[in-house]
């Protein structure tokens, strides 16, 4: 499967086209809209979220709630477009009072994008580089979440830290698989710890008062995966590289760890690698999950656990210095309506990206064009693995 998105932050809508989806997959409009709502949530979001009420509109590829096997067209309307229709019009001359963005923000795509494309208006860059684009991604990758659910795979995420406020976990790799959506989604920070939620909110309040922004870390967990997805023979086959690439494609993501991550570099091998055991009808298992569910670039049957780091949002209410593109003089960077913290939202986007990568791994492993054959092939594969472990 592949997807492509189009649209600007303040354009009429965001659109996505998803190809390669097997026929016969049941799609829930309510589930897709629920994911879009989760992406808009979280303590620390800015004024844009009070304007937008993201809902998906399907423009092709579905009939009576099932995929037809052709490209799926999706759109998410920008309600703020009515306030920008003259400044972001696709045709006609610019308005006489148009104000160009000439004070690029440090940490954003503004300046390097303007240099790359030879424009004197950073808005040509920031409109597309905006994280608003991830609304279309969440809609597109929601299709993969539905596919995985039919195969018995659950993907979820939760926030671990914001700034210096963090969850207290004795054994994160064990705890990660025990949290429930109820634990997570009832928190304004999408964090299963009430104490950590309060600490994160306090950190955000402090940052808001100081004109600052905050980043943080979150985990994405996938349960129910069969072993052997991905590959070891080529670099491009490895799920570590594919999932890493998908996550780094999200704006502001700066670090990805699988399982122990960097901690594995500080331990001897006997404290890193997971012993292999046989457990009755479950077959080959690991007695620990330090690898985070991946060995040699492939799933090993244990839960996939990925920890992701997000930097603070570049837009600051007390801006850093920059250089004016017209005068070449020092000025303060521009201010867009923005969030103080968007870590909970980024975690929802990451869920979708991981789900999309995993769904593709299933399709590559079992090569089916419809859900009936795909589920039958996965069932046969599981049976073979049980036979090998007897």
């Amino acid at each position: 499967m592949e997807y492509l998105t189009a649209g600007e932050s303040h354009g009429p809508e965001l659109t996505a086209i998803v190809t390669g989806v097997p026929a016969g997959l049941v799609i829930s409009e309510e589930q897709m809209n629920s994911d879009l709502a989760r992406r808009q949530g979280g303590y620390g979001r800015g004024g844009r979220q009070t304007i937008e009420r993201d809902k998906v509109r399907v423009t092709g590829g579905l009939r009576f709630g099932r995929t037809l096997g052709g490209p799926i067209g999706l759109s998410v309307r920008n309600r703020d477009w009515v306030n920008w229709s003259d400044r972001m019009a696709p045709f006609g001359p610019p308005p006489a009072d148009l104000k160009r963005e000439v004070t690029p923000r440090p940490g954003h795509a503004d300046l390097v994008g303007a240099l790359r494309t030879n424009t004197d208006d950073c808005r040509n860059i920031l409109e597309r580089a905006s994280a608003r684009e991830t609304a279309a991604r969440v809609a597109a990758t929601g299709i993969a979440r539905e596919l995985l659910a039919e195969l018995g795979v659950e993907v979820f995420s939760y926030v671990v830290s914001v700034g210096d406020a963090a969850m207290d976990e004795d054994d994160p790799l064990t705890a990660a698989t025990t949290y429930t959506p109820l634990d997570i989604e009832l928190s304004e920070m999408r964090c299963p710890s009430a104490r950590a939620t309060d600490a994160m909110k306090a950190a955000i309040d402090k940052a808001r008062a100081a004109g600052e922004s905050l980043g943080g870390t979150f985990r994405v967990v996938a349960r129910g995966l069969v072993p052997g997805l991905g590959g070891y023979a080529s670099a491009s086959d490895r799920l570590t590289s594919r999932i890493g690439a998908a996550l780094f494609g999200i704006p502001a993501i700066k670090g990805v760890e699988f399982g122990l991550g960097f901690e594995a570099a500080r331990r001897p091998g006997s404290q890193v690698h997971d012993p292999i055991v046989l457990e009755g009808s479950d077959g080959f298992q690991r007695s620990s999950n330090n690898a985070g569910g991946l060995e040699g670039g492939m799933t090993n049957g244990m839960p996939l656990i990925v920890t992701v780091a997000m930097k603070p949002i570049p837009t600051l209410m007390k801006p850093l210095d920059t250089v004016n593109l017209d005068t070449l003089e020092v000025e303060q960077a521009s201010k867009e309506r923005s969030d103080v913290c968007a870590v909970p939202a980024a975690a929802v986007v990451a869920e979708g990206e991981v789900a999309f990568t995993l769904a593709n791994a299933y399709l590559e492993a079992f090569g089916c064009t419809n859900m009936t054959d795909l589920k039958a092939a996965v069932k046969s594969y599981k049976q073979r693995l049980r036979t090998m472990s007897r």
Side-chain angles (χ1 to χ4, degrees), residues 235-251:
S236 59
D237 294 335
R238 294 175 179 264
L239 277 184
T240 38
S241 63
R242 291 185 178 188
I243 293 172
L247 290 170
F248 280 123
I250 301 171

Side-chain angles (χ1 to χ4, degrees), residues 119-255:
T119 180
D120 62 356
D121 188 350
C122 292
R123 183 154 300 281
N124 291 348
I125 309 304
L126 66 88
E127 282 287 330
R128 180 61 185 171
S130 167
R132 173 68 185 154
E133 178 264 348
T134 61
R137 294 201 209 185
V138 169
T141 57
I143 292 170
R145 293 170 63 90
E146 301 272 29
L147 186 152
L148 291 177
E150 287 210 26
L151 301 178
V153 178
E154 177 189 21
V155 181
F156 65 94
S157 67
Y158 65 94
V159 174
V160 177
S161 68
V162 167
D164 59 4
M167 286 181 65
D168 184 13
E169 295 177 290
D170 292 333
D171 185 353
L173 297 180
T174 299
T177 61
T178 66
Y179 303 127
T180 67
L182 189 63
D183 296 328
I184 298 164
E185 303 304 340
L186 288 180
S187 163
E188 289 184 87
M189 293 304 305
R190 303 195 62 253
C191 174
S193 166
R195 178 178 296 181
T197 293
D198 290 342
M200 292 174 190
K201 290 172 62 179
I204 291 170
D205 289 341
K206 183 178 178 180
R208 182 185 288 110
E212 280 282 6
S213 60
L214 288 178
T217 61
F218 57 86
R219 287 199 184 92
V220 179
V221 181
R223 297 187 290 214
L225 296 166
V226 297
L229 299 174
Y232 62 87
S234 301
S236 59
D237 294 335
R238 294 175 179 264
L239 277 184
T240 38
S241 63
R242 291 185 178 188
I243 293 172
L247 290 170
F248 280 123
I250 301 171
I253 298 306
K254 289 298 183 181

Side-chain angles (χ1 to χ4, degrees), residues 195-376:
R195 178 178 296 181
T197 293
D198 290 342
M200 292 174 190
K201 290 172 62 179
I204 291 170
D205 289 341
K206 183 178 178 180
R208 182 185 288 110
E212 280 282 6
S213 60
L214 288 178
T217 61
F218 57 86
R219 287 199 184 92
V220 179
V221 181
R223 297 187 290 214
L225 296 166
V226 297
L229 299 174
Y232 62 87
S234 301
S236 59
D237 294 335
R238 294 175 179 264
L239 277 184
T240 38
S241 63
R242 291 185 178 188
I243 293 172
L247 290 170
F248 280 123
I250 301 171
I253 298 306
K254 289 298 183 181
V256 174
E257 292 185 325
F258 295 93
L260 284 177
F262 281 95
E263 176 60 27
R266 292 184 281 269
R267 298 186 183 184
S270 61
Q271 296 178 23
V272 171
H273 305 299
D274 304 304
I276 299 172
V277 296
L278 272 176
E279 292 190 357
S281 61
D282 291 332
F284 297 108
Q285 298 290 316
R286 307 299 187 277
S287 59
S288 58
N289 193 20
N290 294 332
L294 293 176
E295 290 179 312
M298 299 168 288
T299 56
N300 62 12
M302 297 294 284
L304 174 70
I305 302 176
V306 190
T307 305
V308 185
M310 178 186 185
K311 72 175 183 178
I313 290 170
T315 299
L316 301 175
M317 294 303 103
K318 292 184 178 179
L320 298 173
D321 285 347
T322 188
V323 175
N324 185 300
L325 297 182
D326 285 343
T327 67
L328 301 183
E329 298 291 334
V330 175
E331 284 191 28
Q332 287 190 332
S334 64
K335 292 188 292 186
E336 290 285 310
R337 182 172 49 217
S338 185
D339 308 318
V340 177
C341 176
V343 177
V348 175
V349 180
E351 284 179 25
E353 292 289 0
V354 170
F356 205 84
T357 305
L358 292 174
N360 264 329
Y362 269 97
L363 293 175
E364 290 177 1
F366 300 102
C368 299
T369 58
N370 65 81
M371 291 304 298
T372 300
D373 291 348
L374 177 59
K375 288 191 283 188

